Amino acid sequence: MTWRATVLTLFPEMFPGPLGQSLAGRALEQGSWSIEARNIRDHASGKHRNVDDAPFGGGAGMVMRADVLEAAIADCADDRPLVVMTPRGRPLTQAVVAGLADGPGVIVLCGRFEGIDQRVIEYRGMTEISIGDYVLSGGETAALVLLDACVRLLPGVMGAAESGVEESFAHGLLEYPHYTRPADWCGRAVPDVLLSGNHEAIATWRARAAREITQERRPDLWAAYLAQTQPTTIKTKGSAS
Ligand code: SAM
């Protein structure tokens, strides 16, 4: 069954954008997934078709109206999860991506201005997702990131079946470094073991490199990996604390 993405946005022309190219673009052409970008403004009423209004309590900027957004959501809601892109959301991780890719698709709401009236997020029980600790001008680029990450996990989209298995985050670690020809470049040689043809030694080297790079660059991932892979010490009565 085709994995379906619906994007609710004020800028539908931004889609599929880069997702119409390369891996995701080919998968789109082949029907592995589909995308429909809907203009939120189509659900606004009045002469000016306003989608936003001033924030209660005062302050800078404008807020996207709950009534307009609810009309846009009601027009496409089905069994797919509803996601809203927001810097306040839970971080987008490979586990979140894998969960979404495993389902029927996703409906993604893209914010603009100062953000979205919180009531529609709660009313619809939407999952709030952030792509990182920085502020974008709109949710569209964040939605593209989310969809790209999901689409490449869909069955048949990635070329080699194993290419998604060993990469970063798949096992809680960053990936080992890659090298290709020439074996000697600018006085820098490729690690000998990678030229040895000894697959066991190569696998051991890669596993060690993945652990080292994760420990060095991402102490947070490393701590989570250790907690997951090492048996916990159960304190018994009388044991030293
Ligand atoms: N006032 C908001 C705040 O401080 O959290 C930022 C609003 S931002 C200018 C406009 C929209 O961009 C947001 O409603 C959201 O949809 C999107 N956005 C910005 N940064 C994001 C991020 N890191 N992850 C996901 N979406 C983001």
Side-chain angles (χ1 to χ4, degrees):
M1 213 173 68
T2 301
W3 193 86
R4 290 171 53 232
T6 298
V7 184
L8 302 178
T9 169
L10 290 174
F11 299 97
E13 60 281 6
M14 286 175 77
F15 297 89
L19 299 182
Q21 305 291 318
S22 187
L23 194 83
R26 274 198 303 277
L28 191 56
E29 263 174 32
Q30 287 161 5
S32 302
W33 71 293
S34 70
I35 184 165
E36 181 190 19
R38 294 183 168 212
N39 197 334
I40 293 166
R41 204 173 292 282
D42 291 345
H43 298 274
S45 52
K47 197 169 115 200
H48 300 294
R49 298 179 86 81
N50 284 339
V51 297
D52 56 320
D53 213 326
F56 281 127
M62 301 293 269
V63 176
M64 295 179 84
R65 293 171 55 125
D67 55 349
V68 178
L69 293 175
E70 170 52 23
I73 294 166
D75 200 37
C76 65
D78 49 26
D79 61 336
R80 290 171 294 166
L82 266 165
V83 164
V84 55
M85 307 313 302
T86 163
R88 281 205 313 264
R90 76 187 267 211
L92 181 62
T93 61
Q94 194 64 14
V96 171
V97 166
L100 287 172
D102 209 25
V106 67
I107 298 172
V108 190
L109 173 58
C110 303
R112 280 273 156 178
F113 319 118
E114 279 311 306
I116 290 165
D117 189 314
Q118 189 64 25
R119 290 171 297 178
V120 70
I121 296 174
E122 288 165 13
Y123 179 70
R124 278 286 174 179
M126 302 180 84
T127 304
E128 301 182 53
I129 293 183
S130 164
I131 65 158
D133 292 343
Y134 40 80
V135 180
L136 303 165
S137 51
E140 288 77 11
T141 38
L144 288 167
V145 168
L146 171 79
L147 296 177
D148 184 333
C150 289
V151 165
R152 62 193 294 284
L153 294 188
L154 299 177
V157 171
M158 270 191 275
E162 72 282 5
S163 56
V165 175
E166 280 202 4
E167 63 191 5
S168 293
F169 312 116
H171 301 295
L173 294 174
L174 299 178
E175 199 186 39
Y176 50 80
H178 298 285
Y179 302 91
T180 186
R181 292 189 182 86
D184 205 317
W185 175 77
C186 281
R188 291 162 183 262
V190 166
D192 286 341
V193 64
L194 300 181
L195 308 175
S196 69
N198 181 338
H199 296 297
E200 207 181 308
I202 292 171
T204 304
W205 182 88
R206 285 178 168 166
R208 202 189 64 230
R211 287 196 299 273
E212 283 174 0
I213 209 164
T214 306
Q215 191 172 11
E216 183 192 311
R217 296 185 182 180
R218 293 289 302 271
D220 56 329
L221 288 183
W222 181 243
Y225 175 76
L226 289 183
Q228 206 182 61
T229 53
Q230 291 187 353
T232 37
T233 314
I234 299 168
K235 280 189 189 164
T236 52
K237 223 177 169 184
S239 65
S241 56

